[in-house]
Amino acid sequence: MRTITVDPNSPDRRLLQPAAGALLAGSLVAFPTETVYGLGALAFDPVAAGRIFEAKGRPADDPLIVHVRPHWDLGGIFADTNATIRDLARLHWPGPLTIVAPKHHSVPDVVTAGRSTVAVRAPSHPVAVMLLDMVGVPLAAPSANRFAYVSPTTAAHVAADLGDLIDVLVDAGPTSIGIESTIVLVDGERLSVLRPGSIQLDGVDTNLSAPASQAPGRRDVHYSPNAPTRALEAGGRLPSDAGSGTLVGFDDSEPAPPGWGFVSLGSRDDLTAVARRLYGMLREIDRNEPERIVVEFTGRGGLGEAVDDRIRRAAGGQIVY
Ligand code: TXA
Ligand code: MG
């Protein structure tokens, strides 16, 4: 693997040339987006896109997000780029919103895992933007982690998970949002959120119980550390007989019982910082192989809902305290 280090705000085009070249040659390139690092390949090259599944150990039935520039013609990606899709894109692209809608027949089946819908987003990170501009065609990119592990928010996370399996890693430092994009399903004029994120859509319900057929990535165990992980209700207190492990909470959390380590994600009033820290913190704690990890919910709405969704996933849905 070759690592290319670039400035996150104004990347040098010449430095990115080998990354663009590798993508155009059908290779795998990990690059930063504003949410998490992505593992990119040409979306319209089924062999290249197939390599993503191999590298991640991702099941073939879990579709990929197609990354584009906002001004590109979506005619060959969505079957019908209707007014609802256009409005969402105009309001939120470039940015962390992924739009799922019926796919154009030319999108390779490997990308959509054989589904009739495709997920598309236009990232805003200057490095992702420049790479897309240089390559000039859509890139399929899931989060650049080993399947079902915690998403990567730094290049070091990507290297730890996939170092031997990718061709180029573009390092532009930590990502700014820290959790994955909001995913919205467009069904005619009807919208439903399949995965909450930092973009909140007013008046649109979050359908966390969407059938697996609509939300294939919403498996019970996802974004999970290796150590057994559980969630704690917001403001809750661990019972004294909870064994030992590491509690991840906030500055105002109840004290952990004796025998427990405690790490704070910061103030619940600064959810932007909490979201940015969450995955790095989970990875760091996991490296020390604690007996168990317990993560307290934020208990907040808005971005808190998205963070609590990731905590619930990390805990495999197991809220025991
Ligand atoms: O912020 C993000 O979205 C990051 C960056 C790299 O763009 N990407 C990301 O990709 O989180 P990934 O593959 O880790 O998560 C994408 C989710 C998966 O749960 C997948 O199942 C779901 O999107 N997805 C993809 N295509 C879909 C479709 N047609 N219908 C429903 N869900 C879909
Ligand atoms: Mg992922």
Side-chain angles (χ1 to χ4, degrees):
M1 177 193 72
R2 166 169 187 188
T3 300
I4 298 173
T5 304
V6 295
D7 183 310
N9 300 311
S10 54
D12 184 334
R13 209 183 158 89
R14 280 165 311 175
L15 290 178
L16 281 178
Q17 204 60 61
L23 285 165
L24 286 167
S27 298
L28 297 182
V29 174
F31 61 88
T33 79
E34 67 278 22
T35 57
V36 300
Y37 273 74
L39 177 59
L42 296 177
F44 283 84
D45 177 339
V47 177
R51 290 196 180 109
I52 293 175
F53 289 85
E54 258 170 67
K56 283 196 60 148
R58 185 181 179 109
D61 66 352
D62 196 354
L64 306 175
I65 295 178
V66 174
H67 293 66
V68 299
R69 296 281 288 125
H71 55 275
W72 285 358
D73 180 13
L74 300 177
I77 303 180
F78 290 125
D80 168 28
T81 309
N82 60 28
T84 311
I85 294 176
R86 284 199 304 272
D87 286 351
L88 283 170
R90 189 159 31 81
L91 276 171
H92 299 290
W93 285 0
L97 182 76
T98 296
I99 301 174
V100 175
K103 73 160 200 160
H104 190 267
H105 59 79
S106 63
V107 179
D109 282 337
V110 60
V111 170
T112 59
R115 283 160 194 283
S116 59
T117 54
V118 62
V120 183
R121 95 171 182 97
S124 63
H125 194 295
V127 172
V129 166
M130 189 173 279
L131 263 183
L132 283 163
D133 280 340
M134 291 170 80
V135 171
V137 288
L139 295 174
S143 51
N145 51 283
R146 182 160 54 69
F147 176 69
Y149 198 57
V150 180
S151 290
T153 53
T154 68
H157 297 159
V158 179
D161 276 20
L162 303 171
D164 305 335
L165 302 168
I166 60 183
D167 301 289
V168 180
L169 168 57
V170 181
D171 181 353
T175 61
S176 59
I177 295 176
I179 58 171
E180 307 83 347
S181 61
T182 304
I183 301 182
V184 62
L185 173 70
V186 178
D187 179 6
E189 287 174 12
R190 261 200 26 236
L191 304 182
S192 53
V193 171
L194 301 180
R195 178 174 75 183
S198 59
I199 288 184
Q200 289 117 45
L201 300 169
D202 284 344
V204 178
D205 286 338
T206 300
N207 189 0
L208 295 183
S209 57
S213 60
Q214 278 178 14
R218 305 205 57 84
R219 294 164 200 269
D220 278 348
V221 180
H222 213 69
Y223 321 112
S224 303
N226 294 320
T229 303
R230 303 285 178 267
L232 173 68
E233 291 298 353
R237 186 192 275 262
L238 275 180
S240 53
D241 63 355
S244 69
T246 301
L247 174 64
V248 183
F250 304 92
D251 293 349
D252 63 352
S253 289
E254 294 292 326
W260 281 76
F262 175 76
V263 178
S264 176
L265 290 166
S267 164
R268 280 179 232 263
D269 294 329
D270 189 358
L271 293 169
T272 305
V274 167
R276 199 179 286 147
R277 287 186 194 120
L278 178 68
Y279 288 150
M281 200 78 102
L282 288 178
R283 280 177 176 262
E284 195 180 315
I285 294 166
D286 207 27
R287 269 213 314 274
N288 296 324
E289 303 183 353
E291 218 153 301
R292 55 184 70 74
I293 301 173
V294 172
V295 191
E296 184 182 342
F297 288 124
T298 70
R300 298 288 169 94
L303 183 54
E305 189 199 354
V307 171
D308 286 350
D309 169 73
R310 303 313 189 276
I311 293 171
R312 194 173 296 107
R313 296 285 142 189
Q318 303 201 57
I319 304 152
V320 288
Y321 304 114

